[in-house]
Amino acid sequence: MHALSLPTWWIHVTSVLEWALAMLLVQRWGQRHGERIWSWLALAMLPALVSAMCACTWHLFDNPDGLRGLVVLQAGTTLLGNIALAAVAFVIWRQSRSPRHDAPPAQDLPST
């Protein structure tokens, strides 16, 4: 546990907790608004959470060579998470441009 200073640990742990909370809030927001794509976004955030937990675990044990596989797992889950987040973000963007998400046309005001 000596690999990181206490303030750095604080940042690592709170970032992991914040990311997990963000996943929960995104998923609940999607449920409340009836838009399932937001649940997919929360799921796409999972590999980044796993990546962060790999990094914290590796540092917790003072970066031993025996746990070097965690670094590889972290890299893989980071790549997977970035691809998943980009894909879901693209779908959200595309859906936001569809006619069902556009504002309804303004009603013409009667002539005076």
Side-chain angles (χ1 to χ4, degrees):
M1 207 159 126
H2 305 319
L4 301 177
S5 67
L6 190 57
T8 304
W9 270 114
W10 176 253
I11 295 298
H12 275 63
V13 171
T14 57
S15 294
V16 169
L17 294 174
E18 177 185 30
W19 192 259
L21 178 63
M23 290 172 59
L24 178 66
L25 294 174
V26 164
Q27 197 267 339
R28 285 190 179 173
W29 190 90
Q31 282 181 336
R32 281 204 179 127
H33 290 82
E35 296 184 28
R36 293 195 49 182
I37 191 64
W38 295 97
S39 293
W40 284 104
L41 178 63
L43 185 62
M45 294 170 73
L46 186 60
L49 180 64
V50 171
S51 175
M53 294 171 93
C54 287
C56 288
T57 302
W58 193 57
H59 290 313
L60 180 66
F61 293 103
D62 292 328
N63 311 334
D65 287 336
L67 293 180
R68 181 87 45 198
L70 283 175
V71 177
V72 175
L73 181 60
Q74 179 191 7
T77 54
T78 297
L79 176 64
L80 176 65
N82 289 346
I83 292 169
L85 285 168
V88 174
F90 177 74
V91 171
I92 291 171
W93 172 77
R94 198 174 66 203
Q95 283 183 0
S96 73
R97 296 178 50 87
S98 71
R100 71 179 187 95
H101 285 285
D102 290 340
Q107 302 257 337
D108 289 333
L109 296 174
S111 301
T112 57

